[in-house]
Amino acid sequence: MVSIDLPREGRLARYELTGRPVPLKQREAAAFSRVAFAAAHVVADPLADNDPWLTPAIDWERTLAFRHRLWDLGLGVAEAMDTAQRGMGLGWPEARELIRRALAEARGRSGALIACGAGTDHLAPGPDVSIDDILKAYESQIEAIEAEGGRIILMASRALAAAAKGPEDYIRVYDRILSQVKDPVIIHWLGEMFDPALEGYWGNGDHMEAMKTSLAVIEAHAEKVDGIKISLLSKEKEIAMRRRLPKGVRMYTGDDFNYAELIAGDERGYSDALLGIFDAIAPVASAALEALGEGRNGEFFELLEPTVPLSRHIFKAPTRFYKTGVVFLAYLNGLQDHFVMIGGQQSARSLAHIAELFRLADRAGALADPELAVSRMRRVLAVHGID
């Protein structure tokens, strides 16, 4: 039995690993009954001579290899729209290069699903920023992605949240952008729990009232909207909106607290997935989606439900620091050789937090090699003075 001493309630306590790792198995996205994207993280280069808070340094080889791993599992890649890195250490110049490289990798594979985040993050919010400035910023990023043959995920805009006077400004922006895009897009409505700067998006602080504006936009441009991803951490709000979407428009769950039941759905519909947690639990998610696609619903829940406590822990408030847990799992699983992050975000969570993450990951079958995970956890403990 593999065991390790981990911090708990201010002291060290022995933890014996009991989880059964879910094996890695190649699958095709076509085998799934749901469309499933993972918001893939960026691997930092720990050897670069840079100022981590100011200038990102990217390990391109490991970053792109991680995308191939997701494709091997049948998952899609939601590129450069990881909200805990994009605009929080990863700027548009780096995101643009990431998109270019990832699209090139996808073209070399059959059936590689990828969509890319277009936003306004190169435009700093401020009192002098106009709606026209925001439109130009969106158009600039969309043009760059479409020129590479990329499909668009239309990200929420901090600049628009700051500049808009009400719902009519959101309608103006989305009407203009959706009338111009080449192919149907995924709209992303990101809640303030992920990014406080987006509070009051769609022109109303009440999510249900804001939903009316969002739905009006989608209904007016249904042929240009593949779906909407909402990240409000409320299954009730997601289901309410899902039931009101025009026919053919998908709901992509961004609810990292309730994704299992939302993906499974009910008699009136289901959600597809565009999730940050699928980066961290990709083999488990892939196996669960295969089971669901083959009608083995019980196995779907047996696989995925144990990951929900892990996800809720990773995404606990302040939710914007969730990427620390995702990258830590990548480190434990041998997908990168270090626990260094863009923007220095490895410091965003406490040792107690990542110790509990370790326990939950084990119980969820999300530690691919328990002995390797223990070895790497011990290195992190040693950095914190615990031998």
Side-chain angles (χ1 to χ4, degrees), residues 249-387:
V249 176
R250 297 177 182 274
M251 169 60 74
Y252 288 92
T253 186
D255 188 338
D256 298 280
F257 283 10
N258 303 290
Y259 50 90
E261 58 185 295
L262 289 165
I263 293 169
D266 56 30
E267 69 282 354
R268 295 178 61 183
Y270 60 81
S271 297
D272 294 285
L274 200 167
L275 288 161
I277 192 59
F278 275 13
D279 175 306
I281 63 164
V284 186
S286 175
L289 288 166
E290 180 183 63
L292 186 65
E294 295 178 354
R296 293 179 278 116
N297 292 22
E299 184 178 343
F300 167 82
F301 281 110
E302 287 173 10
L303 285 163
L304 212 54
E305 281 192 328
T307 71
V308 173
L310 168 64
S311 186
R312 290 183 177 184
H313 182 71
I314 288 174
F315 285 83
K316 69 185 294 186
T319 303
R320 64 186 181 275
F321 295 146
Y322 75 85
K323 187 50 56 177
T324 303
V326 170
V327 175
F328 185 61
L329 266 177
Y331 170 64
L332 292 178
N333 283 325
L335 301 173
Q336 54 192 78
D337 295 329
H338 56 81
F339 181 36
V340 175
M341 295 180 63
I342 298 292
Q345 288 192 58
Q346 67 271 13
S347 64
R349 296 293 200 186
S350 69
L351 184 62
H353 177 91
I354 62 174
E356 180 63 10
L357 186 156
F358 183 98
R359 288 184 283 262
L360 292 170
D362 169 54
R363 295 166 191 158
L367 297 180
D369 181 340
E371 290 188 358
L372 174 66
V374 165
S375 173
R376 293 195 161 190
M377 184 72 214
R378 284 180 175 143
R379 295 182 199 176
V380 173
L381 292 169
V383 170
H384 288 78
I386 301 172
D387 295 324

Side-chain angles (χ1 to χ4, degrees), residues 111-360:
L113 184 62
I114 183 170
C116 308
T120 66
D121 47 314
H122 62 291
L123 178 66
D128 297 328
V129 173
S130 68
I131 298 299
D132 284 338
D133 293 330
I134 293 163
L135 284 165
K136 290 175 184 176
Y138 265 131
E139 289 167 347
S140 174
Q141 292 200 13
I142 290 168
E143 182 181 7
I145 294 169
E146 290 185 336
E148 297 288 342
R151 173 184 171 190
I152 302 297
I153 300 172
L154 199 59
M155 300 179 69
S157 166
R158 293 188 183 102
L160 178 56
K165 304 301 182 185
E168 63 281 356
D169 283 332
Y170 288 88
I171 292 171
R172 177 186 169 193
V173 168
Y174 281 86
D175 277 350
R176 167 85 165 266
I177 296 304
L178 292 173
S179 68
Q180 295 177 342
V181 291
K182 291 181 179 178
D183 298 305
V185 308
I186 300 172
I187 295 173
H188 186 194
W189 178 6
L190 187 69
E192 62 274 10
M193 64 289 295
F194 285 89
D195 187 344
L198 296 175
E199 187 169 4
Y201 210 74
W202 299 108
N204 201 303
D206 182 318
H207 290 157
M208 299 307 293
E209 290 299 314
M211 193 181 294
K212 295 177 182 178
T213 303
S214 177
L215 284 164
V217 166
I218 293 169
E219 289 164 0
H221 299 275
E223 76 285 353
K224 288 292 186 75
V225 181
D226 169 66
I228 181 166
K229 163 186 162 71
I230 66 170
S231 300
L232 302 177
L233 300 183
S234 167
K235 63 181 180 181
E236 293 81 11
K237 292 172 184 176
E238 179 173 321
I239 292 170
M241 189 172 191
R242 185 173 78 194
R243 291 177 175 172
R244 294 170 63 187
L245 288 173
K247 185 177 180 179
V249 176
R250 297 177 182 274
M251 169 60 74
Y252 288 92
T253 186
D255 188 338
D256 298 280
F257 283 10
N258 303 290
Y259 50 90
E261 58 185 295
L262 289 165
I263 293 169
D266 56 30
E267 69 282 354
R268 295 178 61 183
Y270 60 81
S271 297
D272 294 285
L274 200 167
L275 288 161
I277 192 59
F278 275 13
D279 175 306
I281 63 164
V284 186
S286 175
L289 288 166
E290 180 183 63
L292 186 65
E294 295 178 354
R296 293 179 278 116
N297 292 22
E299 184 178 343
F300 167 82
F301 281 110
E302 287 173 10
L303 285 163
L304 212 54
E305 281 192 328
T307 71
V308 173
L310 168 64
S311 186
R312 290 183 177 184
H313 182 71
I314 288 174
F315 285 83
K316 69 185 294 186
T319 303
R320 64 186 181 275
F321 295 146
Y322 75 85
K323 187 50 56 177
T324 303
V326 170
V327 175
F328 185 61
L329 266 177
Y331 170 64
L332 292 178
N333 283 325
L335 301 173
Q336 54 192 78
D337 295 329
H338 56 81
F339 181 36
V340 175
M341 295 180 63
I342 298 292
Q345 288 192 58
Q346 67 271 13
S347 64
R349 296 293 200 186
S350 69
L351 184 62
H353 177 91
I354 62 174
E356 180 63 10
L357 186 156
F358 183 98
R359 288 184 283 262
L360 292 170

Side-chain angles (χ1 to χ4, degrees), residues 90-109:
L90 187 73
W92 170 238
E94 297 80 24
R96 182 173 182 173
E97 178 64 10
L98 175 61
I99 289 167
R100 185 190 69 78
R101 290 177 183 244
L103 286 171
E105 296 291 319
R107 283 192 292 270
R109 296 181 57 118

Side-chain angles (χ1 to χ4, degrees), residues 26-36 70-76 110-113 250 286 289-294:
Q26 281 198 305
R27 297 180 176 88
E28 299 291 335
F32 300 156
S33 57
R34 306 288 188 267
V35 179
L70 293 172
W71 287 323
D72 285 344
L73 291 164
L75 300 175
S110 174
L113 184 62
R250 297 177 182 274
S286 175
L289 288 166
E290 180 183 63
L292 186 65
E294 295 178 354

